Amino acid sequence: GAVVSQHPSRVICKSGTSVKIECRSLDFQATTMFWYRQFPKQSLMLMATSNEGSKATYEQGVEKDKFLINHASLTLSTLTVTSAHPEDSSFYICSARKASGSGETQYFGPGTRLLVL
Amino acid sequence: AQTVTQSQPEMSVQEAETVTLSCTYDTSENNYYLFWYKQPPSRQMILVIRQEAYKQQNATENRFSVNFQKAAKSFSLKISDSQLGDTAMYFCAFMKSHSNYQLIWGAGTKLIIKP
């Protein structure tokens, strides 16, 4: 199998606080993890690509100081939304590709719903 | 730049019927991968099927099959004997070979299976 978990599944926070979302590959090592944001009834928007042991590559328009990504091991990447504001409320999804094999397929976590009050 | 187009925002069919979701893409690459992902109401993205562009044979996974037309840059998904559990958003995605493994996504098609 190729299982990816995300924690928490849902979080409500006050404006100005920081929120950390964890993405773990449970049964495989992930060379690369991706972070997406999805607005209601829309497709996925790639925020950043994270490779183990190196700095994340952010997509144009995504503030790297606001969305901090750490990929400290081959099974864990974290996304921290710093000083969250209501406009950061969204559904955040991570995915991971295997370090072994062809590695083209991305396996997705169940997502995290963030609501900033 | 690559683009992926899904021209059907929403479709609905009766249970047990066959339905085809369309996807076209634009690329100048010769080697690439194409995917169909399913996102049910739980919002968990699930891989349905994938196709390597260098393979002429259409990929199949049980009730799911694709019609891959490389020259026409078309990659449609056929769901046979549709089931209520097939109700979901379906996204078509493209990935270049030997790339940064990023997916280019279509806008999605909402599929509703009616009992």
Side-chain angles (χ1 to χ4, degrees):
Chain A
V3 181
V4 177
S5 70
Q6 265 183 259
H7 179 79
S9 58
R10 184 180 296 232
V11 57
I12 301 173
C13 70
K14 293 182 179 179
S15 185
T17 61
S18 294
V19 175
K20 180 185 283 188
I21 302 170
E22 291 187 349
C23 177
R24 294 182 184 271
S25 55
L26 298 184
D27 53 0
F28 65 97
Q29 292 186 325
T31 305
T32 308
M33 289 185 171
F34 302 86
W35 287 95
Y36 296 89
R37 185 171 178 176
Q38 187 179 32
F39 293 102
K41 299 184 180 181
Q42 292 190 23
S43 187
L44 278 68
M45 182 187 78
L46 180 65
M47 298 175 66
T49 301
S50 160
N51 290 297
E52 185 265 339
S54 62
K55 290 184 178 180
T57 302
Y58 290 82
E59 295 301 298
Q60 192 171 10
V62 178
E63 298 177 59
K64 63 179 180 180
D65 293 332
K66 180 166 186 63
F67 298 99
L68 300 178
I69 292 172
N70 183 276
H71 193 162
S73 77
L74 285 172
T75 59
L76 173 65
S77 177
T78 60
L79 167 68
T80 301
V81 183
T82 62
S83 186
H85 290 283
E87 58 265 29
D88 299 324
S89 298
S90 192
F91 191 66
Y92 293 88
I93 307 175
C94 72
S95 71
R97 58 173 285 265
K98 292 182 176 180
S100 61
S102 54
E104 292 83 16
T105 301
Q106 289 185 25
Y107 298 93
F108 286 81
T112 297
R113 184 179 300 279
L114 171 63
L115 176 61
V116 184
L117 302 177
Chain B
Q2 289 78 24
T3 59
V4 177
T5 302
Q6 292 180 250
S7 58
Q8 304 149 312
E10 184 169 326
M11 296 184 70
S12 66
V13 297
Q14 294 292 137
E15 191 177 8
E17 289 184 348
T18 294
V19 59
T20 299
L21 308 183
S22 67
C23 173
T24 58
Y25 57 95
D26 188 25
T27 185
S28 58
E29 302 289 325
N30 190 48
N31 296 316
Y32 48 88
Y33 299 86
L34 294 163
F35 303 84
W36 278 99
Y37 279 92
K38 167 185 176 180
Q39 189 178 37
S42 67
R43 302 192 78 172
Q44 168 75 62
M45 293 289 283
I46 302 166
L47 175 67
V48 176
I49 202 164
R50 68 172 238 172
Q51 174 83 43
E52 292 92 339
Y54 65 86
K55 290 186 177 179
Q56 291 187 334
Q57 187 173 7
N58 290 324
T60 63
E61 285 290 340
N62 301 313
R63 297 183 294 109
F64 299 87
S65 61
V66 298
N67 183 1
F68 174 48
Q69 301 290 328
K70 191 173 183 179
K73 297 178 183 176
S74 171
F75 183 61
S76 61
L77 174 70
K78 185 173 82 171
I79 306 174
S80 304
D81 186 26
S82 58
Q83 301 174 0
L84 297 179
D86 296 333
T87 293
M89 283 291 293
Y90 286 81
F91 293 97
C92 178
F94 169 99
M95 178 191 291
K96 286 195 302 185
S97 295
H98 308 296
S99 68
N100 53 12
Y101 300 97
Q102 289 181 357
L103 288 167
I104 309 299
W105 296 89
T109 296
K110 183 177 181 180
L111 176 64
I112 299 170
I113 308 299
K114 298 179 288 186

